[in-house]
């Protein structure tokens, strides 16, 4: 994962359509509800580049991504900061 961190989002999308995964998780969190229930704490284990935090972190009061790869976490932090998700 360290070696492929910069290309991980593209590599991951070759195996399963991102839209299918994102829609399934969104449905579980009921984020399509007009009121959009708030999640107190969102924890993403194996966060990689932080895609789930990027998508669903806005619905959480706190969001935490855990990953073994320091390079993946570096990319996740940069991406989340760029999107203004400072609580993640």
């Amino acid at each position: 994962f360290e070696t492929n961190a910069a290309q991980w989002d593209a590599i991951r999308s070759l195996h399963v359509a991102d839209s299918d995964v994102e829609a399934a998780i969104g449905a579980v969190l009921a984020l399509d509800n007009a009121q959009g229930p708030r999640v107190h704490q969102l924890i993403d284990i194996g966060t990689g580049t932080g895609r789930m935090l990027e998508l669903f972190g806005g619905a959480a009061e706190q969001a935490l991504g855990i990953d073994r790869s320091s390079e993946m976490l570096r990319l996740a932090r940069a991406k989340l900061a760029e999107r203004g998700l400072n609580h993640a």
Side-chain angles (χ1 to χ4, degrees):
F1 290 108
E2 292 282 331
T3 304
N4 294 306
Q7 299 87 18
W8 184 248
D9 288 338
I11 293 169
R12 182 191 64 234
S13 69
L14 295 174
H15 300 283
V16 177
D18 288 344
S19 59
D20 293 345
V21 174
E22 294 163 6
I25 294 172
V28 168
L29 295 175
L31 294 178
D32 57 343
N33 182 327
Q35 297 297 316
R38 301 276 305 164
V39 174
H40 174 67
Q41 191 168 44
L42 175 64
I43 300 174
D44 182 13
I45 299 172
T47 196
T49 60
R51 179 69 177 152
M52 295 298 120
L53 295 176
E54 178 185 4
L55 290 173
F56 304 116
E61 293 174 23
Q62 296 178 336
L64 174 66
I66 300 170
D67 203 283
R68 185 174 182 188
S69 167
S70 60
E71 184 61 18
M72 290 286 200
L73 289 172
R74 186 190 67 74
L75 290 170
R77 285 185 193 107
K79 184 187 293 187
L80 296 171
E82 183 179 292
R83 306 246 185 320
L85 293 169
N86 299 321
H87 66 291

